[in-house]
Amino acid sequence: MSEETSRLEGFHKKELEERVKLVKENSSADESLDHLVGKGLSNQKADQMIENVVGTYELPVGIATNFRINDEDLLIPMVIEESSVVAAASYGAKLARGTGGFHANTTEPVMISQIQVTGLSDANAAKVKVLEKKDELIDIAEEQDPVLVEHGGGVEDIRCRVLKSRFGDYLVVHLLVNCQDAMGANAVNTMAEAVAPHVEELTGGDVYLRILSNLADQRLARARAVWDKEEIGKDTVEGVIQAYEFARVDPYRCATHNKGVMNGVTAVVMATGNDTRAVEAGAHSYAASGGVYSPLTVWEKTKDGDLAGSIEIPVPVGIVGGATSSHPGAQANLEILGVESAQELGEVLASVGLAQNFAALRALASEGIQKGHMRLHAKNVAVQAGAEEDEVERVAEKMIEEGKVRADRAEEILEKFRN
Ligand code: NAD
């Protein structure tokens, strides 16, 4: 077992330089960290990533501490504009340490690519014709990406669905592709495009769309953890369970419940250069896949009265390909995390989502979310009111003390201090 620890006491109180030093000491990141500190993405790199580039756009990288996942300590980089998220994740993880932290696993990293076949009067017979030639179609798909096949990936199966549409039956062919350490969108889209003409030939139909599905329900990560009733308090156990039940029976609440889960998940997806929209689309469509929009997490009481949380989410993410390979900050963050496969990254995402949800529900069911939010929010309000670096803390402190965190009050306090 390594000497590295994620239990960095007082990390939040240290100077930024001191934090960087601690992260270097407790992760495999070293010089690469310099890409996060001060120097960002170069214009040249940015210009290669998207079109019509005029510059870059910075966001903070924070490190969530205290995470123990499958008996390993991990420091977790998060990129997010919202205050309190990193602190809440770290807090949720800290309270789960006593019971062993998070236990997580994943399915194989399988993505689905869809081929839409229209103009069929005999869609069911067409389905059988496609499945008869499954092996040939798999060979054609795999020829498109020998590198993926070399890394142990490739097409695992072809499945067909017949859907009733307003324009007659659609045959929808699914390629199930093991993408190994890649997110795989480009890989599976290329495969679908290559297979499509053969499907047209076999069925006599017309193919329109050939694209992956973001309902990545064949690429799931799960995590579980227990929070000790003595540590968090029996009221918190009850409160979290009541909060979960509220989300389970009310989509208005459930949307916010799941948004809270994704606060953590998306921040890590962003930090690692992965596609936040792909993961968000996957999470919310998966949450609704039972026919009712449902919570991504489940909260129960163990027979000893402790709080047991679990989560299952689609994790269409990679550690190679896309921006994970081209963005130097993403590379540095992957080094801090130290994950060695896309599946391990998925396990981190599920664990962070669970910790984040615990912290939010705990706060909501007790003192409310605003108390924690207000400290950092007050600083933002002070900055917006024109406070300079040395004034921000004092103005924020005064507003919190008064219980009035508002722009007009920040301006008044600032004026008073300056006079
Ligand atoms: P990619 O094409 O850049 O890289 C993946 C390739 O890397 C694989 O196909 C394989 O050839 C190679 N590779 C090398 N080592 C590998 C390993 N160990 N495991 C697996 N593959 C390995 O990227 P991608 O992952 O195919 O696509 C990701 C990008 O596609 C993201 O940037 C995403 O935003 C974008 N995208 C998303 C959608 C969507 O979600 N709907 C649609 C289109 C594109």
PDB file of all heavy atoms in Angstrom, residues 111 145-149 151 153 178-189 211-214 273-275 277-279 318-325, ligand 1:
ATOM      1  N   MET A 111     -20.101   0.997 -24.947  1.00  0.00           N
ATOM      2  CA  MET A 111     -20.948   2.073 -25.477  1.00  0.00           C
ATOM      3  C   MET A 111     -21.853   1.505 -26.568  1.00  0.00           C
ATOM      4  O   MET A 111     -21.516   0.491 -27.194  1.00  0.00           O
ATOM      5  CB  MET A 111     -20.083   3.188 -26.078  1.00  0.00           C
ATOM      6  CG  MET A 111     -19.181   3.901 -25.095  1.00  0.00           C
ATOM      7  SD  MET A 111     -20.055   4.820 -23.805  1.00  0.00           S
ATOM      8  CE  MET A 111     -20.701   6.183 -24.763  1.00  0.00           C
ATOM      9  N   ASP A 145     -11.177   0.295 -36.369  1.00  0.00           N
ATOM     10  CA  ASP A 145     -10.369   0.751 -35.233  1.00  0.00           C
ATOM     11  C   ASP A 145      -9.450  -0.354 -34.711  1.00  0.00           C
ATOM     12  O   ASP A 145      -9.665  -0.906 -33.620  1.00  0.00           O
ATOM     13  CB  ASP A 145     -11.291   1.265 -34.112  1.00  0.00           C
ATOM     14  CG  ASP A 145     -10.555   2.202 -33.154  1.00  0.00           C
ATOM     15  OD1 ASP A 145      -9.306   2.106 -33.074  1.00  0.00           O
ATOM     16  OD2 ASP A 145     -11.215   3.014 -32.489  1.00  0.00           O
ATOM     17  N   PRO A 146      -8.413  -0.667 -35.512  1.00  0.00           N
ATOM     18  CA  PRO A 146      -7.509  -1.744 -35.072  1.00  0.00           C
ATOM     19  C   PRO A 146      -6.808  -1.428 -33.752  1.00  0.00           C
ATOM     20  O   PRO A 146      -6.495  -2.340 -32.984  1.00  0.00           O
ATOM     21  CB  PRO A 146      -6.510  -1.854 -36.231  1.00  0.00           C
ATOM     22  CG  PRO A 146      -6.719  -0.663 -37.102  1.00  0.00           C
ATOM     23  CD  PRO A 146      -8.080  -0.128 -36.832  1.00  0.00           C
ATOM     24  N   VAL A 147      -6.608  -0.121 -33.484  1.00  0.00           N
ATOM     25  CA  VAL A 147      -5.923   0.239 -32.228  1.00  0.00           C
ATOM     26  C   VAL A 147      -6.796  -0.151 -31.024  1.00  0.00           C
ATOM     27  O   VAL A 147      -6.312  -0.734 -30.048  1.00  0.00           O
ATOM     28  CB  VAL A 147      -5.592   1.753 -32.189  1.00  0.00           C
ATOM     29  CG1 VAL A 147      -4.919   2.125 -30.877  1.00  0.00           C
ATOM     30  CG2 VAL A 147      -4.717   2.138 -33.369  1.00  0.00           C
ATOM     31  N   LEU A 148      -8.079   0.134 -31.144  1.00  0.00           N
ATOM     32  CA  LEU A 148      -8.993  -0.232 -30.053  1.00  0.00           C
ATOM     33  C   LEU A 148      -8.998  -1.750 -29.850  1.00  0.00           C
ATOM     34  O   LEU A 148      -8.942  -2.241 -28.712  1.00  0.00           O
ATOM     35  CB  LEU A 148     -10.410   0.280 -30.372  1.00  0.00           C
ATOM     36  CG  LEU A 148     -11.494  -0.055 -29.352  1.00  0.00           C
ATOM     37  CD1 LEU A 148     -11.186   0.560 -27.992  1.00  0.00           C
ATOM     38  CD2 LEU A 148     -12.864   0.420 -29.834  1.00  0.00           C
ATOM     39  N   VAL A 149      -9.036  -2.486 -30.964  1.00  0.00           N
ATOM     40  CA  VAL A 149      -9.054  -3.950 -30.883  1.00  0.00           C
ATOM     41  C   VAL A 149      -7.758  -4.451 -30.237  1.00  0.00           C
ATOM     42  O   VAL A 149      -7.773  -5.335 -29.369  1.00  0.00           O
ATOM     43  CB  VAL A 149      -9.289  -4.575 -32.277  1.00  0.00           C
ATOM     44  CG1 VAL A 149      -9.187  -6.091 -32.226  1.00  0.00           C
ATOM     45  CG2 VAL A 149     -10.647  -4.146 -32.831  1.00  0.00           C
ATOM     46  N   HIS A 151      -6.083  -2.971 -28.058  1.00  0.00           N
ATOM     47  CA  HIS A 151      -6.157  -2.716 -26.616  1.00  0.00           C
ATOM     48  C   HIS A 151      -7.232  -3.553 -25.916  1.00  0.00           C
ATOM     49  O   HIS A 151      -7.611  -3.269 -24.783  1.00  0.00           O
ATOM     50  CB  HIS A 151      -6.412  -1.227 -26.349  1.00  0.00           C
ATOM     51  CG  HIS A 151      -5.171  -0.399 -26.484  1.00  0.00           C
ATOM     52  ND1 HIS A 151      -4.781   0.167 -27.673  1.00  0.00           N
ATOM     53  CD2 HIS A 151      -4.215  -0.072 -25.585  1.00  0.00           C
ATOM     54  CE1 HIS A 151      -3.650   0.822 -27.496  1.00  0.00           C
ATOM     55  NE2 HIS A 151      -3.277   0.683 -26.236  1.00  0.00           N
ATOM     56  N   GLY A 153     -10.397  -3.927 -26.944  1.00  0.00           N
ATOM     57  CA  GLY A 153     -11.771  -3.482 -27.177  1.00  0.00           C
ATOM     58  C   GLY A 153     -12.332  -4.080 -28.449  1.00  0.00           C
ATOM     59  O   GLY A 153     -11.699  -4.940 -29.076  1.00  0.00           O
ATOM     60  N   ASN A 178     -17.044  -2.379 -26.807  1.00  0.00           N
ATOM     61  CA  ASN A 178     -16.186  -2.223 -25.634  1.00  0.00           C
ATOM     62  C   ASN A 178     -15.105  -1.196 -25.995  1.00  0.00           C
ATOM     63  O   ASN A 178     -14.298  -1.437 -26.888  1.00  0.00           O
ATOM     64  CB  ASN A 178     -15.555  -3.569 -25.268  1.00  0.00           C
ATOM     65  CG  ASN A 178     -14.726  -3.482 -23.997  1.00  0.00           C
ATOM     66  OD1 ASN A 178     -14.044  -2.485 -23.762  1.00  0.00           O
ATOM     67  ND2 ASN A 178     -14.781  -4.515 -23.188  1.00  0.00           N
ATOM     68  N   CYS A 179     -15.134  -0.056 -25.315  1.00  0.00           N
ATOM     69  CA  CYS A 179     -14.234   1.056 -25.684  1.00  0.00           C
ATOM     70  C   CYS A 179     -12.990   1.123 -24.804  1.00  0.00           C
ATOM     71  O   CYS A 179     -12.223   2.102 -24.893  1.00  0.00           O
ATOM     72  CB  CYS A 179     -15.001   2.376 -25.627  1.00  0.00           C
ATOM     73  SG  CYS A 179     -16.284   2.434 -26.868  1.00  0.00           S
ATOM     74  N   GLN A 180     -12.814   0.155 -23.953  1.00  0.00           N
ATOM     75  CA  GLN A 180     -11.640   0.120 -23.062  1.00  0.00           C
ATOM     76  C   GLN A 180     -11.426   1.474 -22.382  1.00  0.00           C
ATOM     77  O   GLN A 180     -12.311   1.933 -21.718  1.00  0.00           O
ATOM     78  CB  GLN A 180     -10.401  -0.353 -23.830  1.00  0.00           C
ATOM     79  CG  GLN A 180     -10.501  -1.813 -24.242  1.00  0.00           C
ATOM     80  CD  GLN A 180     -10.450  -2.777 -23.048  1.00  0.00           C
ATOM     81  OE1 GLN A 180     -10.339  -2.363 -21.902  1.00  0.00           O
ATOM     82  NE2 GLN A 180     -10.557  -4.059 -23.294  1.00  0.00           N
ATOM     83  N   ASP A 181     -10.265   2.114 -22.600  1.00  0.00           N
ATOM     84  CA  ASP A 181      -9.979   3.335 -21.841  1.00  0.00           C
ATOM     85  C   ASP A 181     -10.413   4.615 -22.549  1.00  0.00           C
ATOM     86  O   ASP A 181     -10.149   5.715 -22.069  1.00  0.00           O
ATOM     87  CB  ASP A 181      -8.490   3.396 -21.497  1.00  0.00           C
ATOM     88  CG  ASP A 181      -8.144   2.362 -20.447  1.00  0.00           C
ATOM     89  OD1 ASP A 181      -9.019   2.068 -19.608  1.00  0.00           O
ATOM     90  OD2 ASP A 181      -7.024   1.825 -20.478  1.00  0.00           O
ATOM     91  N   ALA A 182     -11.059   4.470 -23.716  1.00  0.00           N
ATOM     92  CA  ALA A 182     -11.560   5.665 -24.417  1.00  0.00           C
ATOM     93  C   ALA A 182     -13.022   5.881 -24.068  1.00  0.00           C
ATOM     94  O   ALA A 182     -13.743   4.937 -23.756  1.00  0.00           O
ATOM     95  CB  ALA A 182     -11.404   5.487 -25.913  1.00  0.00           C
ATOM     96  N   MET A 183     -13.470   7.151 -24.147  1.00  0.00           N
ATOM     97  CA  MET A 183     -14.908   7.411 -24.046  1.00  0.00           C
ATOM     98  C   MET A 183     -15.584   6.729 -25.218  1.00  0.00           C
ATOM     99  O   MET A 183     -16.651   6.137 -25.079  1.00  0.00           O
ATOM    100  CB  MET A 183     -15.152   8.928 -24.061  1.00  0.00           C
ATOM    101  CG  MET A 183     -16.599   9.321 -23.883  1.00  0.00           C
ATOM    102  SD  MET A 183     -17.464   9.445 -25.467  1.00  0.00           S
ATOM    103  CE  MET A 183     -18.928  10.326 -24.992  1.00  0.00           C
ATOM    104  N   GLY A 184     -14.995   6.872 -26.401  1.00  0.00           N
ATOM    105  CA  GLY A 184     -15.391   6.030 -27.517  1.00  0.00           C
ATOM    106  C   GLY A 184     -16.372   6.611 -28.507  1.00  0.00           C
ATOM    107  O   GLY A 184     -16.752   5.919 -29.455  1.00  0.00           O
ATOM    108  N   ALA A 185     -16.793   7.883 -28.327  1.00  0.00           N
ATOM    109  CA  ALA A 185     -17.799   8.438 -29.239  1.00  0.00           C
ATOM    110  C   ALA A 185     -17.321   8.385 -30.686  1.00  0.00           C
ATOM    111  O   ALA A 185     -18.042   7.916 -31.572  1.00  0.00           O
ATOM    112  CB  ALA A 185     -18.148   9.871 -28.843  1.00  0.00           C
ATOM    113  N   ASN A 186     -16.105   8.868 -30.925  1.00  0.00           N
ATOM    114  CA  ASN A 186     -15.614   8.865 -32.306  1.00  0.00           C
ATOM    115  C   ASN A 186     -15.466   7.432 -32.821  1.00  0.00           C
ATOM    116  O   ASN A 186     -15.808   7.132 -33.963  1.00  0.00           O
ATOM    117  CB  ASN A 186     -14.264   9.587 -32.406  1.00  0.00           C
ATOM    118  CG  ASN A 186     -14.432  11.077 -32.166  1.00  0.00           C
ATOM    119  OD1 ASN A 186     -15.357  11.678 -32.678  1.00  0.00           O
ATOM    120  ND2 ASN A 186     -13.547  11.653 -31.369  1.00  0.00           N
ATOM    121  N   ALA A 187     -14.981   6.581 -31.953  1.00  0.00           N
ATOM    122  CA  ALA A 187     -14.763   5.187 -32.350  1.00  0.00           C
ATOM    123  C   ALA A 187     -16.084   4.532 -32.766  1.00  0.00           C
ATOM    124  O   ALA A 187     -16.169   3.931 -33.844  1.00  0.00           O
ATOM    125  CB  ALA A 187     -14.133   4.425 -31.182  1.00  0.00           C
ATOM    126  N   VAL A 188     -17.110   4.663 -31.944  1.00  0.00           N
ATOM    127  CA  VAL A 188     -18.364   3.953 -32.258  1.00  0.00           C
ATOM    128  C   VAL A 188     -19.140   4.619 -33.388  1.00  0.00           C
ATOM    129  O   VAL A 188     -19.825   3.937 -34.160  1.00  0.00           O
ATOM    130  CB  VAL A 188     -19.267   3.739 -31.009  1.00  0.00           C
ATOM    131  CG1 VAL A 188     -18.514   3.014 -29.913  1.00  0.00           C
ATOM    132  CG2 VAL A 188     -19.873   5.020 -30.486  1.00  0.00           C
ATOM    133  N   ASN A 189     -19.006   5.940 -33.511  1.00  0.00           N
ATOM    134  CA  ASN A 189     -19.671   6.616 -34.631  1.00  0.00           C
ATOM    135  C   ASN A 189     -19.072   6.165 -35.963  1.00  0.00           C
ATOM    136  O   ASN A 189     -19.781   5.919 -36.935  1.00  0.00           O
ATOM    137  CB  ASN A 189     -19.545   8.138 -34.505  1.00  0.00           C
ATOM    138  CG  ASN A 189     -20.351   8.680 -33.327  1.00  0.00           C
ATOM    139  OD1 ASN A 189     -21.234   8.002 -32.810  1.00  0.00           O
ATOM    140  ND2 ASN A 189     -20.044   9.899 -32.913  1.00  0.00           N
ATOM    141  N   ILE A 211     -25.161   7.053 -35.005  1.00  0.00           N
ATOM    142  CA  ILE A 211     -24.526   7.838 -33.930  1.00  0.00           C
ATOM    143  C   ILE A 211     -24.694   7.124 -32.590  1.00  0.00           C
ATOM    144  O   ILE A 211     -25.679   6.422 -32.396  1.00  0.00           O
ATOM    145  CB  ILE A 211     -25.167   9.264 -33.863  1.00  0.00           C
ATOM    146  CG1 ILE A 211     -24.576  10.165 -32.764  1.00  0.00           C
ATOM    147  CG2 ILE A 211     -26.676   9.225 -33.687  1.00  0.00           C
ATOM    148  CD1 ILE A 211     -23.401  10.968 -33.200  1.00  0.00           C
ATOM    149  N   LEU A 212     -23.751   7.379 -31.679  1.00  0.00           N
ATOM    150  CA  LEU A 212     -23.834   6.723 -30.373  1.00  0.00           C
ATOM    151  C   LEU A 212     -25.065   7.178 -29.594  1.00  0.00           C
ATOM    152  O   LEU A 212     -25.618   8.245 -29.866  1.00  0.00           O
ATOM    153  CB  LEU A 212     -22.567   6.984 -29.552  1.00  0.00           C
ATOM    154  CG  LEU A 212     -22.573   8.081 -28.482  1.00  0.00           C
ATOM    155  CD1 LEU A 212     -21.413   7.906 -27.549  1.00  0.00           C
ATOM    156  CD2 LEU A 212     -22.549   9.447 -29.110  1.00  0.00           C
ATOM    157  N   SER A 213     -25.470   6.360 -28.634  1.00  0.00           N
ATOM    158  CA  SER A 213     -26.534   6.766 -27.709  1.00  0.00           C
ATOM    159  C   SER A 213     -25.875   7.255 -26.427  1.00  0.00           C
ATOM    160  O   SER A 213     -24.986   6.591 -25.895  1.00  0.00           O
ATOM    161  CB  SER A 213     -27.442   5.586 -27.384  1.00  0.00           C
ATOM    162  OG  SER A 213     -28.268   5.954 -26.287  1.00  0.00           O
ATOM    163  N   ASN A 214     -26.359   8.393 -25.947  1.00  0.00           N
ATOM    164  CA  ASN A 214     -25.845   8.875 -24.663  1.00  0.00           C
ATOM    165  C   ASN A 214     -26.520   8.206 -23.469  1.00  0.00           C
ATOM    166  O   ASN A 214     -26.122   8.431 -22.326  1.00  0.00           O
ATOM    167  CB  ASN A 214     -25.941  10.400 -24.576  1.00  0.00           C
ATOM    168  CG  ASN A 214     -24.823  11.076 -25.368  1.00  0.00           C
ATOM    169  OD1 ASN A 214     -25.036  11.646 -26.426  1.00  0.00           O
ATOM    170  ND2 ASN A 214     -23.611  10.955 -24.871  1.00  0.00           N
ATOM    171  N   GLY A 273     -11.018  16.439 -18.556  1.00  0.00           N
ATOM    172  CA  GLY A 273     -11.112  16.696 -20.002  1.00  0.00           C
ATOM    173  C   GLY A 273     -12.164  15.851 -20.688  1.00  0.00           C
ATOM    174  O   GLY A 273     -12.165  15.714 -21.906  1.00  0.00           O
ATOM    175  N   ASN A 274     -13.081  15.287 -19.902  1.00  0.00           N
ATOM    176  CA  ASN A 274     -14.126  14.466 -20.512  1.00  0.00           C
ATOM    177  C   ASN A 274     -15.336  15.321 -20.891  1.00  0.00           C
ATOM    178  O   ASN A 274     -15.408  16.506 -20.579  1.00  0.00           O
ATOM    179  CB  ASN A 274     -14.507  13.333 -19.551  1.00  0.00           C
ATOM    180  CG  ASN A 274     -13.584  12.150 -19.700  1.00  0.00           C
ATOM    181  OD1 ASN A 274     -13.637  11.443 -20.704  1.00  0.00           O
ATOM    182  ND2 ASN A 274     -12.697  11.949 -18.718  1.00  0.00           N
ATOM    183  N   ASP A 275     -16.289  14.671 -21.553  1.00  0.00           N
ATOM    184  CA  ASP A 275     -17.436  15.355 -22.139  1.00  0.00           C
ATOM    185  C   ASP A 275     -18.552  15.449 -21.088  1.00  0.00           C
ATOM    186  O   ASP A 275     -19.246  14.466 -20.812  1.00  0.00           O
ATOM    187  CB  ASP A 275     -17.884  14.543 -23.365  1.00  0.00           C
ATOM    188  CG  ASP A 275     -19.003  15.187 -24.144  1.00  0.00           C
ATOM    189  OD1 ASP A 275     -19.771  15.964 -23.561  1.00  0.00           O
ATOM    190  OD2 ASP A 275     -19.115  14.889 -25.344  1.00  0.00           O
ATOM    191  N   ARG A 277     -21.394  17.024 -21.182  1.00  0.00           N
ATOM    192  CA  ARG A 277     -22.760  16.875 -21.713  1.00  0.00           C
ATOM    193  C   ARG A 277     -23.112  15.399 -21.884  1.00  0.00           C
ATOM    194  O   ARG A 277     -24.253  14.992 -21.658  1.00  0.00           O
ATOM    195  CB  ARG A 277     -22.923  17.604 -23.053  1.00  0.00           C
ATOM    196  CG  ARG A 277     -22.918  19.109 -22.968  1.00  0.00           C
ATOM    197  CD  ARG A 277     -21.521  19.660 -22.927  1.00  0.00           C
ATOM    198  NE  ARG A 277     -20.710  19.195 -24.037  1.00  0.00           N
ATOM    199  CZ  ARG A 277     -19.379  18.966 -23.971  1.00  0.00           C
ATOM    200  NH1 ARG A 277     -18.718  19.141 -22.843  1.00  0.00           N
ATOM    201  NH2 ARG A 277     -18.711  18.526 -25.004  1.00  0.00           N
ATOM    202  N   ALA A 278     -22.126  14.611 -22.308  1.00  0.00           N
ATOM    203  CA  ALA A 278     -22.365  13.177 -22.502  1.00  0.00           C
ATOM    204  C   ALA A 278     -22.723  12.526 -21.160  1.00  0.00           C
ATOM    205  O   ALA A 278     -23.650  11.721 -21.072  1.00  0.00           O
ATOM    206  CB  ALA A 278     -21.134  12.507 -23.102  1.00  0.00           C
ATOM    207  N   VAL A 279     -21.995  12.898 -20.117  1.00  0.00           N
ATOM    208  CA  VAL A 279     -22.233  12.283 -18.810  1.00  0.00           C
ATOM    209  C   VAL A 279     -23.555  12.786 -18.211  1.00  0.00           C
ATOM    210  O   VAL A 279     -24.329  12.007 -17.650  1.00  0.00           O
ATOM    211  CB  VAL A 279     -21.035  12.537 -17.864  1.00  0.00           C
ATOM    212  CG1 VAL A 279     -21.308  11.982 -16.476  1.00  0.00           C
ATOM    213  CG2 VAL A 279     -19.774  11.905 -18.441  1.00  0.00           C
ATOM    214  N   GLY A 318     -13.343   8.625 -20.577  1.00  0.00           N
ATOM    215  CA  GLY A 318     -12.106   7.956 -20.933  1.00  0.00           C
ATOM    216  C   GLY A 318     -10.905   8.569 -20.244  1.00  0.00           C
ATOM    217  O   GLY A 318     -11.004   9.625 -19.611  1.00  0.00           O
ATOM    218  N   ILE A 319      -9.783   7.889 -20.379  1.00  0.00           N
ATOM    219  CA  ILE A 319      -8.503   8.472 -19.925  1.00  0.00           C
ATOM    220  C   ILE A 319      -7.554   8.604 -21.114  1.00  0.00           C
ATOM    221  O   ILE A 319      -6.432   9.048 -20.965  1.00  0.00           O
ATOM    222  CB  ILE A 319      -7.849   7.667 -18.777  1.00  0.00           C
ATOM    223  CG1 ILE A 319      -7.554   6.222 -19.199  1.00  0.00           C
ATOM    224  CG2 ILE A 319      -8.724   7.684 -17.524  1.00  0.00           C
ATOM    225  CD1 ILE A 319      -6.615   5.492 -18.229  1.00  0.00           C
ATOM    226  N   VAL A 320      -8.021   8.165 -22.291  1.00  0.00           N
ATOM    227  CA  VAL A 320      -7.299   8.443 -23.544  1.00  0.00           C
ATOM    228  C   VAL A 320      -8.315   9.001 -24.531  1.00  0.00           C
ATOM    229  O   VAL A 320      -9.507   8.792 -24.380  1.00  0.00           O
ATOM    230  CB  VAL A 320      -6.641   7.185 -24.168  1.00  0.00           C
ATOM    231  CG1 VAL A 320      -5.608   6.581 -23.258  1.00  0.00           C
ATOM    232  CG2 VAL A 320      -7.698   6.151 -24.552  1.00  0.00           C
ATOM    233  N   GLY A 321      -7.810   9.706 -25.552  1.00  0.00           N
ATOM    234  CA  GLY A 321      -8.682  10.245 -26.589  1.00  0.00           C
ATOM    235  C   GLY A 321      -9.322  11.558 -26.181  1.00  0.00           C
ATOM    236  O   GLY A 321      -9.275  11.942 -25.005  1.00  0.00           O
ATOM    237  N   GLY A 322      -9.887  12.252 -27.161  1.00  0.00           N
ATOM    238  CA  GLY A 322     -10.550  13.533 -26.907  1.00  0.00           C
ATOM    239  C   GLY A 322      -9.627  14.495 -26.178  1.00  0.00           C
ATOM    240  O   GLY A 322      -8.404  14.456 -26.336  1.00  0.00           O
ATOM    241  N   ALA A 323     -10.226  15.371 -25.363  1.00  0.00           N
ATOM    242  CA  ALA A 323      -9.427  16.362 -24.641  1.00  0.00           C
ATOM    243  C   ALA A 323      -8.659  15.749 -23.473  1.00  0.00           C
ATOM    244  O   ALA A 323      -7.740  16.370 -22.932  1.00  0.00           O
ATOM    245  CB  ALA A 323     -10.336  17.483 -24.134  1.00  0.00           C
ATOM    246  N   THR A 324      -9.001  14.507 -23.079  1.00  0.00           N
ATOM    247  CA  THR A 324      -8.255  13.887 -21.972  1.00  0.00           C
ATOM    248  C   THR A 324      -6.772  13.774 -22.340  1.00  0.00           C
ATOM    249  O   THR A 324      -5.906  13.847 -21.476  1.00  0.00           O
ATOM    250  CB  THR A 324      -8.773  12.473 -21.617  1.00  0.00           C
ATOM    251  OG1 THR A 324      -8.544  11.614 -22.723  1.00  0.00           O
ATOM    252  CG2 THR A 324     -10.246  12.469 -21.296  1.00  0.00           C
ATOM    253  N   SER A 325      -6.521  13.614 -23.638  1.00  0.00           N
ATOM    254  CA  SER A 325      -5.132  13.464 -24.087  1.00  0.00           C
ATOM    255  C   SER A 325      -4.514  14.788 -24.520  1.00  0.00           C
ATOM    256  O   SER A 325      -3.306  14.959 -24.450  1.00  0.00           O
ATOM    257  CB  SER A 325      -5.051  12.492 -25.266  1.00  0.00           C
ATOM    258  OG  SER A 325      -5.614  11.261 -24.918  1.00  0.00           O
TER     259      SER A 325
HETATM  260  P1  NAD B   1     -10.688   9.554 -29.804  1.00  0.00           P
HETATM  261  O1  NAD B   1     -11.208   9.166 -31.126  1.00  0.00           O
HETATM  262  O2  NAD B   1      -9.902  10.820 -29.688  1.00  0.00           O
HETATM  263  O3  NAD B   1      -9.762   8.397 -29.200  1.00  0.00           O
HETATM  264  C1  NAD B   1     -10.143   7.085 -29.008  1.00  0.00           C
HETATM  265  C2  NAD B   1      -9.204   6.154 -29.748  1.00  0.00           C
HETATM  266  O4  NAD B   1      -7.967   6.024 -29.050  1.00  0.00           O
HETATM  267  C3  NAD B   1      -9.741   4.762 -29.831  1.00  0.00           C
HETATM  268  O5  NAD B   1     -10.693   4.657 -30.847  1.00  0.00           O
HETATM  269  C4  NAD B   1      -8.474   3.947 -30.076  1.00  0.00           C
HETATM  270  O6  NAD B   1      -8.183   3.891 -31.456  1.00  0.00           O
HETATM  271  C5  NAD B   1      -7.382   4.758 -29.384  1.00  0.00           C
HETATM  272  N1  NAD B   1      -6.832   4.134 -28.160  1.00  0.00           N
HETATM  273  C6  NAD B   1      -5.532   4.183 -27.755  1.00  0.00           C
HETATM  274  N2  NAD B   1      -5.368   3.554 -26.594  1.00  0.00           N
HETATM  275  C7  NAD B   1      -6.566   3.093 -26.214  1.00  0.00           C
HETATM  276  C8  NAD B   1      -7.033   2.375 -25.059  1.00  0.00           C
HETATM  277  N3  NAD B   1      -6.223   1.982 -24.081  1.00  0.00           N
HETATM  278  N4  NAD B   1      -8.344   2.104 -24.969  1.00  0.00           N
HETATM  279  C9  NAD B   1      -9.191   2.495 -25.940  1.00  0.00           C
HETATM  280  N5  NAD B   1      -8.801   3.173 -27.048  1.00  0.00           N
HETATM  281  C10 NAD B   1      -7.497   3.469 -27.204  1.00  0.00           C
HETATM  282  O7  NAD B   1     -11.837   9.682 -28.739  1.00  0.00           O
HETATM  283  P2  NAD B   1     -13.176   8.900 -28.488  1.00  0.00           P
HETATM  284  O8  NAD B   1     -13.052   8.364 -27.099  1.00  0.00           O
HETATM  285  O9  NAD B   1     -13.537   7.947 -29.568  1.00  0.00           O
HETATM  286  O10 NAD B   1     -14.254  10.089 -28.508  1.00  0.00           O
HETATM  287  C11 NAD B   1     -14.364  11.005 -27.468  1.00  0.00           C
HETATM  288  C12 NAD B   1     -14.750  12.366 -27.979  1.00  0.00           C
HETATM  289  O11 NAD B   1     -15.931  12.295 -28.794  1.00  0.00           O
HETATM  290  C13 NAD B   1     -15.076  13.311 -26.879  1.00  0.00           C
HETATM  291  O12 NAD B   1     -14.298  14.459 -27.052  1.00  0.00           O
HETATM  292  C14 NAD B   1     -16.571  13.638 -27.083  1.00  0.00           C
HETATM  293  O13 NAD B   1     -16.831  14.956 -26.696  1.00  0.00           O
HETATM  294  C15 NAD B   1     -16.770  13.421 -28.531  1.00  0.00           C
HETATM  295  N6  NAD B   1     -18.128  13.129 -29.043  1.00  0.00           N
HETATM  296  C16 NAD B   1     -19.201  12.891 -28.231  1.00  0.00           C
HETATM  297  C17 NAD B   1     -20.454  12.609 -28.781  1.00  0.00           C
HETATM  298  C18 NAD B   1     -21.623  12.316 -27.871  1.00  0.00           C
HETATM  299  O14 NAD B   1     -21.455  12.127 -26.680  1.00  0.00           O
HETATM  300  N7  NAD B   1     -22.863  12.241 -28.383  1.00  0.00           N
HETATM  301  C19 NAD B   1     -20.600  12.535 -30.173  1.00  0.00           C
HETATM  302  C20 NAD B   1     -19.483  12.767 -30.968  1.00  0.00           C
HETATM  303  C21 NAD B   1     -18.233  13.045 -30.413  1.00  0.00           C
END
